[in-house]
Structures are given as C-alpha cells and as structure tokens.
Coordinates of all heavy atoms in Angstrom, one line a residue:
M202 N 0.9 -1.2 0.0 CA 0.0 0.0 0.0 C 0.9 1.2 0.0 O 1.8 1.4 0.8 CB -0.9 0.0 1.2 CG -2.2 0.8 1.0 SD -3.4 0.5 2.3 CE -2.9 1.6 3.6
A203 N 0.7 2.1 -0.9 CA 1.4 3.4 -1.0 C 1.1 4.3 0.1 O -0.1 4.5 0.5 CB 1.2 4.0 -2.3
N204 N 2.1 4.9 0.7 CA 1.9 5.8 1.8 C 2.0 7.2 1.2 O 3.0 7.8 1.1 CB 3.0 5.6 2.8 CG 2.7 6.3 4.1 OD1 1.6 6.9 4.3 ND2 3.6 6.2 5.1
A205 N 0.8 7.7 0.8 CA 0.7 9.0 0.2 C 1.1 10.1 1.1 O 0.5 10.2 2.3 CB -0.6 9.2 -0.4
Q206 N 1.9 11.0 0.8 CA 2.3 12.1 1.6 C 1.4 13.3 1.3 O 1.5 14.0 0.3 CB 3.8 12.5 1.4 CG 4.8 11.5 2.0 CD 4.8 11.6 3.6 OE1 4.8 12.7 4.1 NE2 4.7 10.5 4.2
I207 N 0.5 13.6 2.2 CA -0.4 14.7 2.1 C 0.2 15.8 3.0 O 0.4 15.6 4.2 CB -1.8 14.4 2.5 CG1 -2.3 13.2 1.8 CG2 -2.7 15.6 2.3 CD1 -3.5 12.5 2.3
P208 N 0.5 17.0 2.4 CA 0.9 18.1 3.3 C -0.1 18.6 4.2 O -1.1 19.3 3.8 CB 1.3 19.2 2.3 CG 0.6 18.8 1.0 CD 0.3 17.4 1.0
V209 N -0.1 18.2 5.4 CA -1.1 18.5 6.4 C -0.5 19.5 7.4 O 0.5 19.3 8.0 CB -1.6 17.3 7.2 CG1 -2.5 17.7 8.3 CG2 -2.3 16.3 6.2
V210 N -1.2 20.6 7.5 CA -0.8 21.6 8.5 C -1.7 21.5 9.7 O -2.9 21.6 9.6 CB -1.0 23.0 7.9 CG1 -0.4 24.1 8.9 CG2 -0.3 23.1 6.6
V211 N -1.0 21.2 10.8 CA -1.8 21.1 12.1 C -1.8 22.4 12.8 O -0.7 22.9 13.2 CB -1.2 20.0 13.0 CG1 -2.1 19.9 14.3 CG2 -1.2 18.7 12.3
V212 N -2.9 23.1 12.8 CA -3.1 24.4 13.4 C -3.9 24.3 14.6 O -5.0 23.7 14.6 CB -3.7 25.4 12.4 CG1 -3.7 26.8 12.9 CG2 -2.9 25.4 11.0
G213 N -3.4 25.0 15.7 CA -4.1 25.0 16.9 C -5.5 25.5 16.9 O -6.4 25.2 17.7
S214 N -5.8 26.4 15.9 CA -7.1 27.0 15.9 C -8.2 26.1 15.4 O -9.4 26.4 15.5 CB -7.1 28.3 15.1 OG -6.7 28.0 13.8
F215 N -7.9 25.0 14.8 CA -8.9 24.1 14.3 C -9.5 23.3 15.5 O -8.8 23.0 16.4 CB -8.3 23.1 13.3 CG -8.0 23.7 12.0 CD1 -6.7 24.0 11.6 CD2 -9.0 24.0 11.1 CE1 -6.4 24.5 10.4 CE2 -8.8 24.6 9.9 CZ -7.5 24.8 9.5
G216 N -10.8 23.1 15.4 CA -11.5 22.4 16.5 C -12.4 21.4 15.9 O -12.2 20.9 14.8
D217 N -13.5 21.2 16.7 CA -14.5 20.2 16.3 C -15.3 20.6 15.0 O -15.7 19.9 14.2 CB -15.5 20.0 17.4 CG -15.1 18.7 18.2 OD1 -14.6 17.8 17.6 OD2 -15.4 18.7 19.4
G218 N -15.7 21.9 15.1 CA -16.6 22.4 14.1 C -15.9 23.1 12.9 O -14.7 23.3 12.9
P219 N -16.6 23.5 11.9 CA -16.1 24.2 10.7 C -15.6 25.6 11.2 O -16.1 26.2 12.0 CB -17.3 24.4 9.8 CG -18.3 23.4 10.2 CD -18.1 23.2 11.7
V220 N -14.5 26.0 10.6 CA -13.9 27.3 10.9 C -13.7 28.1 9.6 O -13.5 27.5 8.5 CB -12.6 27.2 11.6 CG1 -12.7 26.8 13.1 CG2 -11.6 26.2 10.9
Q221 N -13.8 29.4 9.7 CA -13.5 30.3 8.6 C -12.0 30.4 8.4 O -11.4 31.0 9.3 CB -14.2 31.6 8.8 CG -14.2 32.6 7.6 CD -15.6 32.6 7.0 OE1 -16.6 32.5 7.6 NE2 -15.6 32.7 5.6
V222 N -11.5 30.0 7.2 CA -10.1 30.1 7.0 C -9.8 30.5 5.6 O -10.7 30.4 4.7 CB -9.4 28.7 7.2 CG1 -9.3 28.4 8.7 CG2 -10.0 27.6 6.4
S223 N -8.6 31.1 5.4 CA -8.2 31.4 4.0 C -7.5 30.2 3.5 O -6.5 29.8 4.0 CB -7.2 32.6 4.1 OG -6.7 32.9 2.8
C224 N -8.0 29.6 2.4 CA -7.5 28.4 1.8 C -6.1 28.8 1.1 O -6.1 29.6 0.3 CB -8.4 27.8 0.8 SG -7.8 26.4 -0.1
P225 N -5.1 28.0 1.5 CA -3.7 28.3 0.9 C -3.7 27.9 -0.5 O -2.7 28.3 -1.2 CB -2.8 27.4 1.8 CG -3.7 26.4 2.3 CD -5.0 26.9 2.5
Q226 N -4.6 27.1 -1.0 CA -4.5 26.6 -2.4 C -5.3 27.4 -3.4 O -4.8 27.7 -4.4 CB -5.0 25.1 -2.4 CG -4.7 24.4 -3.7 CD -4.6 22.9 -3.5 OE1 -3.8 22.4 -2.7 NE2 -5.3 22.1 -4.3
C227 N -6.6 27.7 -3.0 CA -7.4 28.5 -3.9 C -7.6 30.0 -3.5 O -8.2 30.7 -4.1 CB -8.7 27.8 -4.2 SG -9.8 27.7 -2.7
H228 N -6.9 30.3 -2.3 CA -6.9 31.7 -1.8 C -8.2 32.3 -1.7 O -8.5 33.5 -2.0 CB -6.0 32.5 -2.8 CG -4.6 32.0 -2.9 ND1 -3.7 32.0 -1.9 CD2 -4.0 31.3 -3.9 CE1 -2.5 31.4 -2.3 NE2 -2.8 30.9 -3.5
Q229 N -9.1 31.6 -1.2 CA -10.5 32.1 -0.9 C -10.8 31.9 0.6 O -10.3 31.0 1.2 CB -11.5 31.4 -1.7 CG -11.5 31.7 -3.2 CD -12.6 31.0 -3.9 OE1 -13.8 31.1 -3.6 NE2 -12.3 30.2 -4.9
M230 N -11.6 32.8 1.1 CA -12.1 32.6 2.5 C -13.2 31.6 2.4 O -14.2 31.7 1.7 CB -12.7 33.9 3.0 CG -11.6 34.9 3.5 SD -10.5 34.2 4.8 CE -11.6 34.2 6.2
V231 N -13.0 30.5 3.1 CA -13.9 29.4 3.0 C -14.3 28.9 4.4 O -13.5 29.1 5.4 CB -13.4 28.2 2.2 CG1 -13.3 28.6 0.7 CG2 -12.1 27.7 2.8
L232 N -15.4 28.3 4.5 CA -15.8 27.6 5.8 C -15.4 26.2 5.6 O -15.9 25.4 4.7 CB -17.3 27.7 6.0 CG -17.8 27.4 7.4 CD1 -17.2 28.4 8.4 CD2 -19.3 27.5 7.4
S233 N -14.5 25.7 6.4 CA -13.9 24.4 6.3 C -14.9 23.3 6.5 O -15.8 23.4 7.3 CB -12.7 24.2 7.2 OG -13.2 24.1 8.6
Q234 N -14.8 22.2 5.7 CA -15.6 21.1 5.9 C -14.9 20.1 6.8 O -13.7 19.9 6.7 CB -15.9 20.4 4.6 CG -16.9 21.1 3.7 CD -17.3 20.3 2.5 OE1 -16.4 19.6 1.9 NE2 -18.5 20.4 2.0
V235 N -15.6 19.6 7.8 CA -15.0 18.7 8.8 C -15.4 17.3 8.6 O -16.5 16.9 8.4 CB -15.4 19.1 10.2 CG1 -14.8 18.2 11.3 CG2 -15.1 20.6 10.5
H236 N -14.3 16.4 8.5 CA -14.6 15.0 8.4 C -13.9 14.4 9.7 O -12.8 14.7 10.0 CB -13.9 14.4 7.2 CG -14.4 15.0 5.9 ND1 -15.5 14.6 5.3 CD2 -13.9 16.1 5.2 CE1 -15.7 15.4 4.2 NE2 -14.8 16.2 4.1
H237 N -14.6 13.5 10.3 CA -14.1 12.8 11.5 C -13.6 11.5 11.1 O -14.1 10.7 10.4 CB -15.2 12.7 12.6 CG -15.6 14.0 13.1 ND1 -16.7 14.7 12.7 CD2 -15.0 14.8 14.1 CE1 -16.8 15.8 13.4 NE2 -15.8 15.9 14.3
S238 N -12.4 11.2 11.7 CA -11.8 9.9 11.5 C -11.3 9.3 12.9 O -11.0 10.1 13.7 CB -10.7 9.9 10.5 OG -9.7 10.8 11.0
S239 N -11.3 8.1 13.0 CA -10.9 7.4 14.2 C -9.4 7.8 14.5 O -8.5 7.5 13.7 CB -11.1 5.9 14.2 OG -12.4 5.6 14.0
G240 N -9.1 8.3 15.6 CA -7.8 8.7 16.0 C -7.3 7.9 17.1 O -7.9 6.9 17.6
L241 N -6.1 8.2 17.6 CA -5.5 7.5 18.7 C -6.4 7.4 19.9 O -6.5 6.3 20.5 CB -4.2 8.2 19.1 CG -3.3 7.5 20.1 CD1 -2.9 6.1 19.6 CD2 -2.0 8.3 20.3
L242 N -7.1 8.5 20.3 CA -7.9 8.5 21.4 C -9.1 7.5 21.3 O -9.5 6.9 22.3 CB -8.5 9.9 21.7 CG -9.3 10.1 22.9 CD1 -8.5 9.9 24.2 CD2 -9.9 11.5 23.0
T243 N -9.6 7.4 20.1 CA -10.7 6.4 19.8 C -10.2 5.0 20.2 O -11.0 4.3 20.9 CB -11.1 6.4 18.3 OG1 -11.1 7.8 17.9 CG2 -12.5 5.8 18.2
Y244 N -9.0 4.7 19.8 CA -8.5 3.3 20.1 C -8.2 3.2 21.6 O -8.4 2.1 22.2 CB -7.2 3.0 19.3 CG -7.6 2.9 17.8 CD1 -7.4 4.0 16.9 CD2 -8.1 1.7 17.3 CE1 -7.7 3.9 15.6 CE2 -8.4 1.6 16.0 CZ -8.2 2.7 15.1 OH -8.5 2.5 13.8
L245 N -7.7 4.2 22.2 CA -7.4 4.2 23.6 C -8.7 4.0 24.4 O -8.8 3.2 25.4 CB -6.7 5.5 24.1 CG -5.3 5.6 23.7 CD1 -4.7 7.0 24.1 CD2 -4.4 4.5 24.3
F246 N -9.7 4.7 24.0 CA -11.0 4.6 24.7 C -11.6 3.2 24.5 O -12.1 2.6 25.4 CB -12.0 5.6 24.1 CG -12.9 6.3 25.1 CD1 -12.4 7.3 25.9 CD2 -14.2 5.8 25.3 CE1 -13.3 7.9 26.8 CE2 -15.0 6.3 26.2 CZ -14.5 7.4 27.0
C247 N -11.4 2.7 23.3 CA -11.9 1.3 23.0 C -11.2 0.3 23.9 O -11.8 -0.5 24.5 CB -11.6 1.0 21.5 SG -11.9 -0.7 21.1
G248 N -9.8 0.5 24.0 CA -9.1 -0.4 24.8 C -9.4 -0.3 26.3 O -9.5 -1.3 27.0
G249 N -9.7 0.9 26.7 CA -10.0 1.2 28.1 C -11.3 0.5 28.5 O -11.5 -0.1 29.5
L250 N -12.3 0.7 27.6 CA -13.6 0.0 27.9 C -13.5 -1.5 27.9 O -14.1 -2.2 28.7 CB -14.6 0.4 26.8 CG -15.2 1.9 26.8 CD1 -16.1 2.1 25.6 CD2 -15.9 2.1 28.1
F251 N -12.6 -2.0 27.0 CA -12.4 -3.4 26.9 C -11.9 -4.0 28.2 O -12.4 -5.0 28.8 CB -11.5 -3.7 25.8 CG -11.3 -5.2 25.5 CD1 -12.3 -5.9 24.9 CD2 -10.2 -5.9 25.9 CE1 -12.2 -7.3 24.6 CE2 -10.0 -7.2 25.7 CZ -11.0 -7.9 25.0
F252 N -10.9 -3.3 28.8 CA -10.2 -3.7 30.0 C -11.1 -3.5 31.2 O -10.9 -4.1 32.2 CB -8.9 -3.1 30.2 CG -7.8 -3.6 29.3 CD1 -7.3 -2.8 28.3 CD2 -7.4 -4.9 29.4 CE1 -6.3 -3.4 27.5 CE2 -6.5 -5.5 28.6 CZ -5.9 -4.7 27.6
C253 N -12.1 -2.7 31.1 CA -13.0 -2.4 32.2 C -14.1 -3.5 32.2 O -15.0 -3.5 33.0 CB -13.7 -1.1 32.1 SG -12.5 0.3 32.6
G254 N -14.0 -4.5 31.3 CA -14.9 -5.6 31.3 C -16.2 -5.5 30.4 O -17.1 -6.3 30.5
F255 N -16.2 -4.4 29.6 CA -17.3 -4.3 28.6 C -17.2 -5.4 27.6 O -16.1 -5.9 27.2 CB -17.3 -3.0 27.9 CG -17.8 -1.9 28.8 CD1 -17.1 -1.3 29.7 CD2 -19.1 -1.5 28.6 CE1 -17.6 -0.2 30.5 CE2 -19.7 -0.4 29.4 CZ -18.9 0.2 30.3
V256 N -18.4 -5.9 27.2 CA -18.4 -6.9 26.1 C -17.9 -6.3 24.8 O -17.9 -5.1 24.6 CB -19.7 -7.6 26.0 CG1 -20.0 -8.5 27.2 CG2 -20.8 -6.6 25.8
L257 N -17.6 -7.2 23.9 CA -17.0 -6.8 22.6 C -17.7 -5.6 21.9 O -17.1 -4.7 21.4 CB -16.9 -8.0 21.7 CG -15.9 -7.8 20.5 CD1 -14.5 -7.5 21.0 CD2 -16.0 -9.0 19.6
G258 N -19.0 -5.7 21.9 CA -19.8 -4.7 21.2 C -19.7 -3.3 21.8 O -19.6 -2.3 21.1
C259 N -19.6 -3.3 23.1 CA -19.6 -2.0 23.8 C -18.3 -1.2 23.5 O -18.3 0.0 23.5 CB -19.8 -2.1 25.3 SG -21.5 -2.5 25.7
C260 N -17.2 -1.9 23.4 CA -15.9 -1.2 23.2 C -15.8 -0.6 21.8 O -14.8 0.0 21.5 CB -14.7 -2.1 23.5 SG -14.4 -3.4 22.2
L261 N -16.8 -0.9 21.0 CA -16.8 -0.3 19.6 C -17.6 1.0 19.6 O -17.6 1.8 18.7 CB -17.4 -1.2 18.6 CG -16.7 -2.5 18.4 CD1 -17.4 -3.4 17.4 CD2 -15.3 -2.2 17.8
I262 N -18.2 1.4 20.8 CA -18.9 2.6 20.9 C -18.1 3.8 20.5 O -18.6 4.7 19.8 CB -19.5 2.8 22.3 CG1 -20.7 1.7 22.5 CG2 -20.1 4.2 22.6 CD1 -21.3 1.7 23.9
P263 N -16.8 3.9 21.0 CA -16.0 5.1 20.7 C -15.9 5.4 19.2 O -15.7 6.5 18.8 CB -14.7 4.8 21.3 CG -15.0 3.9 22.4 CD -16.1 3.0 21.9
F264 N -16.0 4.4 18.4 CA -15.9 4.6 16.9 C -17.1 5.2 16.4 O -17.1 5.7 15.2 CB -15.7 3.2 16.2 CG -14.3 2.6 16.5 CD1 -14.2 1.7 17.5 CD2 -13.2 3.1 15.9 CE1 -12.9 1.1 17.8 CE2 -11.9 2.6 16.1 CZ -11.8 1.6 17.1
C265 N -18.2 5.3 17.1 CA -19.4 6.0 16.7 C -19.6 7.4 17.3 O -20.5 8.1 17.0 CB -20.7 5.1 17.1 SG -20.6 3.5 16.5
V266 N -18.6 7.8 18.1 CA -18.7 9.0 18.8 C -17.7 10.0 18.2 O -16.5 9.8 18.3 CB -18.4 8.9 20.3 CG1 -18.6 10.3 21.0 CG2 -19.4 7.9 21.0
D267 N -18.3 11.0 17.5 CA -17.4 11.9 16.8 C -16.5 12.7 17.7 O -15.4 13.1 17.3 CB -18.3 12.9 16.0 CG -18.7 12.3 14.6 OD1 -18.2 11.3 14.3 OD2 -19.6 12.9 14.0
R268 N -17.0 13.0 18.9 CA -16.2 13.8 19.8 C -14.8 13.1 20.2 O -14.0 13.7 20.8 CB -17.0 14.1 21.1 CG -18.2 14.9 20.8 CD -18.6 15.7 22.0 NE -17.7 16.7 22.4 CZ -17.7 18.0 21.8 NH1 -18.5 18.2 20.9 NH2 -16.8 18.8 22.2
L269 N -14.8 11.8 20.0 CA -13.5 11.1 20.3 C -12.6 10.9 19.1 O -11.6 10.3 19.1 CB -13.9 9.7 20.9 CG -14.6 9.7 22.2 CD1 -15.0 8.3 22.6 CD2 -13.7 10.3 23.3
K270 N -13.1 11.5 18.0 CA -12.3 11.3 16.7 C -11.5 12.5 16.3 O -11.8 13.6 16.7 CB -13.3 10.9 15.6 CG -13.9 9.6 15.8 CD -14.9 9.3 14.7 CE -15.6 7.9 14.9 NZ -16.5 7.6 13.8
D271 N -10.5 12.3 15.5 CA -9.8 13.4 14.9 C -10.7 14.1 13.9 O -11.5 13.5 13.2 CB -8.5 13.0 14.2 CG -7.5 12.4 15.2 OD1 -7.7 12.7 16.4 OD2 -6.6 11.7 14.8
A272 N -10.5 15.4 13.8 CA -11.3 16.2 12.8 C -10.4 16.7 11.7 O -9.5 17.4 12.0 CB -12.1 17.3 13.5
Q273 N -10.7 16.3 10.5 CA -9.9 16.8 9.4 C -10.7 17.9 8.6 O -11.8 17.7 8.2 CB -9.6 15.6 8.4 CG -8.6 16.0 7.3 CD -8.4 14.9 6.3 OE1 -9.3 14.5 5.7 NE2 -7.2 14.5 6.2
H274 N -10.0 19.0 8.5 CA -10.7 20.2 7.8 C -10.2 20.2 6.4 O -9.1 20.2 6.1 CB -10.3 21.5 8.5 CG -10.9 21.6 9.9 ND1 -12.0 22.4 10.2 CD2 -10.5 20.9 11.1 CE1 -12.2 22.2 11.5 NE2 -11.4 21.4 12.1
T275 N -11.2 20.3 5.5 CA -10.9 20.4 4.1 C -11.6 21.6 3.4 O -12.6 22.0 3.9 CB -11.3 19.1 3.3 OG1 -12.7 18.8 3.5 CG2 -10.5 17.9 3.7
C276 N -11.0 22.1 2.4 CA -11.6 23.2 1.6 C -12.8 22.7 0.8 O -12.7 21.7 0.0 CB -10.6 23.8 0.7 SG -11.2 25.1 -0.4
P277 N -14.0 23.3 0.9 CA -15.2 22.9 0.2 C -15.0 23.2 -1.3 O -15.7 22.6 -2.1 CB -16.3 23.7 0.8 CG -15.7 24.9 1.4 CD -14.3 24.4 1.9
T278 N -14.2 24.1 -1.7 CA -14.0 24.5 -3.1 C -13.0 23.6 -3.8 O -13.3 23.0 -4.8 CB -13.6 26.0 -3.2 OG1 -14.4 26.7 -2.4 CG2 -13.6 26.4 -4.6
C279 N -11.8 23.5 -3.3 CA -10.8 22.7 -4.0 C -10.4 21.4 -3.3 O -9.5 20.7 -3.8 CB -9.5 23.6 -4.2 SG -8.7 24.0 -2.7
K280 N -11.1 21.1 -2.2 CA -10.8 19.9 -1.5 C -9.5 19.7 -0.9 O -9.1 18.6 -0.5 CB -11.1 18.6 -2.4 CG -12.4 18.7 -3.1 CD -13.6 18.7 -2.2 CE -14.9 18.7 -2.9 NZ -16.1 19.1 -2.1
A281 N -8.7 20.8 -0.8 CA -7.4 20.8 -0.1 C -7.6 20.5 1.4 O -8.5 21.0 2.0 CB -6.7 22.0 -0.4
V282 N -6.6 19.8 2.0 CA -6.7 19.6 3.4 C -6.1 20.8 4.1 O -4.9 21.2 3.8 CB -5.9 18.3 3.8 CG1 -5.8 18.2 5.3 CG2 -6.5 17.1 3.1
L283 N -6.9 21.5 4.9 CA -6.5 22.7 5.5 C -5.8 22.5 6.9 O -5.0 23.2 7.3 CB -7.7 23.6 5.7 CG -8.5 23.9 4.4 CD1 -9.8 24.6 4.8 CD2 -7.7 24.8 3.5
G284 N -6.2 21.4 7.5 CA -5.6 21.1 8.8 C -6.3 20.0 9.5 O -7.4 19.6 9.1
V285 N -5.7 19.5 10.5 CA -6.3 18.4 11.3 C -6.3 18.7 12.8 O -5.3 19.2 13.3 CB -5.4 17.1 11.0 CG1 -6.0 15.9 11.9 CG2 -5.4 16.7 9.6
Y286 N -7.4 18.5 13.4 CA -7.5 18.7 14.8 C -7.4 17.3 15.5 O -8.2 16.4 15.2 CB -8.9 19.3 15.1 CG -9.2 19.4 16.6 CD1 -8.4 20.2 17.5 CD2 -10.2 18.7 17.2 CE1 -8.6 20.2 18.8 CE2 -10.5 18.7 18.5 CZ -9.7 19.5 19.4 OH -9.9 19.5 20.7
K287 N -6.4 17.2 16.3 CA -6.2 15.9 16.9 C -6.5 16.0 18.4 O -6.3 17.0 19.0 CB -4.7 15.4 16.7 CG -4.4 14.9 15.3 CD -3.0 14.3 15.2 CE -2.8 13.8 13.8 NZ -3.7 12.7 13.5
R288 N -7.0 14.9 18.9 CA -7.4 14.9 20.3 C -6.2 14.7 21.2 O -6.2 15.1 22.4 CB -8.3 13.7 20.6 CG -9.5 13.6 19.7 CD -10.5 14.6 20.1 NE -11.5 14.7 19.0 CZ -12.5 15.6 19.0 NH1 -12.6 16.5 20.0 NH2 -13.4 15.7 18.0
L289 N -5.1 14.1 20.7 CA -4.0 13.9 21.6 C -2.7 14.6 21.0 O -2.6 14.6 19.8 CB -3.7 12.4 21.8 CG -4.7 11.6 22.6 CD1 -4.4 10.1 22.5 CD2 -4.7 12.1 24.0
Ligands
LIG55 ZN1 -9.4 25.8 -1.5

C-alpha cells in the first residue's frame, strides 16, 4: 500500500466544528468542511472500555462518537486539506 504524503498543516485554531479560514490553495475565504476519523484517542477509549470488562460490542462505541475522533478540515471548493484537529 502506497503511503501518500499529504501536506497537512496542524493548526491549533482548528477544532471540532467548521472554521472560517483562508485556503492556501485557492486563496479564498472558506468555511472548512469537517470529516471525522478514528484517531489515537478512539483506540485508547476502545481499549479502556475493553479492559473495564465491557463486552466486545460496547468497546466499539467510541468509533461511533465523533467527539472522540480526529477532525480533518478540508476546503469545500478545491478539497485541499487545511488542517487536522487531533485529540492527543
Ligand atoms: Zn481551496
């Protein structure tokens, strides 16, 4: 599997929700689109629940909770990745 190198800028101002940013690629003020993906915290939470004695199904709950996931901000116009908000 090819490990594509995407230039990702991690900026502290990114959070859970969409933010107004100037896109470095198309140079427009855009409201970022947020995509959530399972991050390190999701897996830690999953492992934590597992060790606390939850049955297999319950430890998958973190994967359904957006607040435990990393948020990737993309430009709605040119689809460039603007930044990633990580939980850890
Ligand atoms: Zn753009």
Side-chain angles (χ1 to χ4, degrees):
M202 203 166 88
N204 195 2
Q206 284 291 314
I207 307 165
V209 174
V210 185
V211 181
V212 183
S214 59
F215 286 105
D217 261 332
V220 286
Q221 188 101 35
V222 287
S223 175
C224 176
Q226 192 154 307
C227 61
H228 304 287
Q229 290 183 55
M230 280 304 284
V231 293
L232 195 63
S233 66
Q234 284 186 326
V235 181
H236 303 276
H237 290 98
S238 59
S239 299
L241 185 58
L242 185 62
T243 318
Y244 291 97
L245 286 177
F246 218 84
C247 173
L250 287 177
F251 185 76
F252 285 115
C253 285
F255 281 81
V256 288
L257 195 62
C259 285
C260 74
L261 295 175
I262 289 174
F264 290 99
C265 305
V266 181
D267 278 348
R268 297 203 69 82
L269 293 173
K270 295 179 180 179
D271 292 343
Q273 186 184 62
H274 293 255
T275 54
C276 172
T278 309
C279 68
K280 309 298 178 197
V282 177
L283 303 171
V285 176
Y286 172 66
K287 288 188 176 297
R288 306 287 169 184
L289 292 174

